[in-house]
Amino acid sequence: MNHVSSDAGLAELKQRVQADLAKISYATGNWCIPASHNDDAVLDVAIIGAGQGGLATAFGLRRRGISNVRIFEKADRGGEGPWVTFARMLTLRTPKHVTGPDLGIPSLTPQSWYEARYGAEAWRNLDKISRQDWQSYLDWVRDILDLPVTNDTKLVDIDWQDGLLCLSFKQSDGSVVQQWARKVVLATGIEGGGAWHVPDFISQAVNSTRYAHTCQTIDFEKLRGKRIGVLGAGASAFDNAATALEHGAASVDLCLRRAKIPTVNPYRWMENAGFLSYFADLPDLTRWRFMRKIYDLNQPPPQDTFWRCRKHANFAFHPGTPWLSVKEQGDEVVVETPHGEMVFDFLIIGTGFVIDLTKRPEMRKIAERVQLWRDKFAAPEGEENTLLGSHPYLGKHFQFLPRNADDDLAPMMAAIHNFTFAAMPSMGLSGASISGMRFGVERLTQAIGRDLFVQDGDKQLQSLLDYNTDELISLEPPC
């Protein structure tokens, strides 16, 4: 649907946002005591990633009076997150009423922004928000709140010196700059706990020009008239299959290992305040059983996404058809399955990601020393799960924990808060999920504020002892 932007509506909304924030500004002034290291300024919190989780975290910290914060983003302005880069769905998969970066402030909600831009009737008629509109909404949130973001700046190393984190960033011109910080929040999305995954039997057997992961840039126009094989059962696999079909692929065959396509979406169940608020406080065994069920269900393609593929006569899906091996044969790629060979011109790989901190260059100093679920928890017989075991076992503040309690880098780990998808088994839906963002940000920012205040307890006490501003200034009768 094409809409006409309403500049007047957005201008009026800006005034409402400013008025709302002014009404609830009590105790949001900065209270953190400034720190420096060898005359260099020290941030109270450095946030890595300017997608939805990073923006919401910066706003949440400001609401708690922590304003010495900066967000660092590797992408250029407008390219943060997946929405206008590699996401290929038409709309978000979450219902339109789900809120997130607004942190409960009505004038900052997606609904308020959408109505200001397109009108109330357009909102009433809307099914789900398009991914392009969601990116525009996030851009608006960043601008309306004047959040401090530095783009084109990639985190390449985290070090620990003198009780502070020393962050090294590579800039677009190739230069490396450093920034000191007391705390770091990793808000680097789905891949922030590891890396996107292409099975070795594909990457080692096929030239990289003949396949692409769903997270990569794909020139779908070049796939016009081609036979496309898609591997994966998740929504992104179907999104890419549909995009190839819409660009004129000769045929698209989607293969999945499961005997049937997932149909139940656990996210809809999880969208209740009990789970979103308190999951992290459950015992390990209960959390493990929750996550085994959630991961086993997987997230199915939404009905409209499936129909987007199914309406094409040249689309076929093949349950119970894992790919056993692949090979190049002339200009073709031959895929062996339990049911025989399939021949394609190009492969699209929708096999998700692996959770493996050793694949994150910026984590190299602590990656092998961080406690994982498999280090902490032994699953009952028959309830084992290798994927869950690979996730970091986080503390109640989203912080990394050491595998060995006497690790000399334990304080460094405590200063790094993991707000990525990898936090899910420990913390539930949080930074990499719109559905859980508001609740996750509340827990995260309260924890960071607590840590900073307690660490500076003696300095805060001294500030009180030094406080000498008179409120009673006259002992004479009033005029």
Side-chain angles (χ1 to χ4, degrees):
M1 177 184 293
N2 292 321
H3 300 291
V4 178
S5 176
S6 171
D7 292 337
L10 290 172
E12 180 183 350
L13 180 59
K14 179 178 180 179
Q15 294 179 345
R16 283 170 48 200
V17 170
Q18 292 171 339
D20 286 347
L21 293 177
K23 291 173 185 174
I24 57 173
S25 62
Y26 170 71
T28 58
N30 183 63
W31 50 263
C32 292
I33 297 173
S36 63
H37 184 273
N38 295 333
D39 296 326
D40 292 330
V42 176
L43 291 172
D44 289 318
V45 185
I47 300 170
I48 312 303
Q52 57 193 22
L55 297 178
T57 299
F59 179 42
L61 289 168
R62 183 185 296 174
R63 295 284 304 125
R64 294 185 179 276
I66 305 168
S67 58
N68 181 24
V69 174
R70 177 153 289 276
I71 308 170
F72 299 90
E73 167 59 48
K74 66 180 180 180
D76 57 9
R77 179 67 196 263
E80 305 91 349
W83 310 113
V84 293
T85 52
F86 63 84
R88 297 182 177 108
M89 71 281 271
L90 298 180
T91 68
L92 300 189
R93 298 180 186 122
T94 49
K96 68 179 182 181
H97 60 263
V98 173
T99 61
D102 54 275
L103 302 186
I105 297 174
S107 58
L108 277 172
T109 59
Q111 179 176 350
S112 293
W113 174 83
Y114 199 92
E115 289 180 343
R117 187 171 185 183
Y118 301 129
E121 183 179 0
W123 175 262
R124 287 193 296 271
N125 295 332
L126 181 68
D127 179 24
K128 295 176 182 175
I129 299 176
S130 75
R131 57 184 176 86
Q132 293 88 353
D133 272 334
W134 185 252
Q135 181 64 51
S136 295
Y137 164 69
L138 294 176
D139 292 340
W140 174 79
V141 167
R142 169 177 168 172
D143 290 338
I144 207 75
L145 297 176
D146 193 24
L147 296 175
V149 181
T150 300
N151 284 92
D152 301 305
T153 304
K154 181 180 180 180
L155 179 66
V156 294
D157 187 54
I158 306 177
D159 200 3
W160 183 249
Q161 298 179 31
D162 302 326
L164 294 169
L165 295 163
C166 181
L167 312 177
S168 296
F169 294 96
K170 186 174 183 179
Q171 298 182 304
S172 56
D173 62 2
S175 62
V176 176
V177 297
Q178 290 186 332
Q179 173 66 60
W180 296 92
R182 298 177 67 187
K183 291 279 192 179
V184 164
V185 174
L186 301 177
T188 44
I190 290 178
E191 74 273 27
W196 297 106
H197 175 59
V198 176
D200 290 343
F201 75 88
I202 297 174
S203 61
Q204 296 178 4
V206 181
N207 189 286
S208 60
T209 61
R210 295 190 181 277
Y211 72 88
H213 192 281
T214 54
C215 74
Q216 293 178 285
T217 299
I218 301 175
D219 187 346
F220 283 93
E221 279 300 320
K222 289 186 178 180
L223 303 186
R224 185 176 299 275
K226 304 293 186 181
R227 298 163 296 176
I228 310 302
V230 180
L231 178 63
S236 64
F238 283 87
D239 291 332
N240 280 264
T243 305
L245 291 162
E246 292 160 359
H247 281 77
S251 63
V252 174
D253 288 86
L254 185 147
C255 301
L256 57 149
R257 181 182 66 254
R258 294 170 180 253
K260 57 182 291 188
I261 295 174
T263 58
V264 176
N265 188 350
Y267 278 71
R268 299 294 82 86
W269 182 91
M270 289 188 279
E271 289 164 353
N272 67 80
F275 180 87
L276 296 174
S277 300
Y278 310 120
F279 170 84
D281 300 312
L282 292 171
D284 287 354
L285 178 58
T286 307
R287 286 189 288 174
W288 182 269
R289 286 174 170 166
F290 261 105
M291 286 299 147
R292 279 191 77 241
K293 181 62 175 178
I294 290 166
Y295 279 36
D296 182 60
L297 285 173
N298 203 355
Q299 189 175 12
Q303 185 64 67
D304 53 356
T305 299
F306 185 79
W307 282 338
R308 187 181 165 201
C309 294
R310 197 71 174 88
K311 69 182 181 181
H312 294 270
N314 53 341
F315 170 74
F317 62 97
H318 307 274
T321 308
W323 291 1
L324 304 178
S325 67
V326 300
K327 62 181 178 182
E328 291 189 57
Q329 193 167 292
D331 292 332
E332 300 174 331
V333 180
V334 179
V335 174
E336 180 187 356
T337 79
H339 313 296
E341 292 184 342
M342 304 176 77
V343 180
F344 302 111
D345 300 307
F346 191 82
L347 308 179
I348 296 178
I349 313 303
T351 48
F353 52 93
V354 293
I355 300 296
D356 183 351
L357 294 177
T358 66
K359 295 184 178 296
R360 305 297 304 178
E362 70 275 14
M363 294 287 291
R364 60 181 174 269
K365 288 185 172 63
I366 62 172
E368 295 184 350
R369 300 160 73 164
V370 164
Q371 182 171 257
L372 307 180
W373 267 85
R374 63 172 175 253
D375 303 321
K376 172 71 174 178
F377 176 76
E381 185 176 354
E383 299 185 46
E384 300 87 353
N385 187 298
T386 301
L387 174 59
L388 284 180
S390 68
H391 287 68
Y393 183 97
L394 302 177
K396 298 303 182 184
H397 298 175
F398 288 88
Q399 79 274 29
F400 289 115
L401 299 173
R403 187 172 297 173
N404 299 313
D406 58 353
D407 194 317
D408 59 349
L409 290 183
M412 175 184 180
M413 298 182 207
I416 304 175
H417 301 262
N418 184 350
F419 208 47
T420 74
F421 189 86
M424 190 166 174
S426 296
M427 311 305 297
L429 293 177
S430 53
S433 166
I434 299 172
S435 303
M437 187 184 310
R438 174 184 167 188
F439 298 85
V441 167
E442 181 178 342
R443 178 183 284 265
L444 173 67
T445 56
Q446 180 174 356
I448 290 175
R450 175 194 174 279
D451 286 351
L452 293 174
F453 187 83
V454 171
Q455 287 172 15
D456 283 350
D458 290 339
K459 294 179 180 178
Q460 295 287 352
L461 173 59
Q462 189 61 50
S463 176
L464 171 62
L465 297 176
D466 295 339
Y467 182 72
N468 191 29
T469 301
D470 291 332
E471 182 166 319
L472 179 63
I473 57 176
S474 174
L475 301 180
E476 299 299 322
C479 294

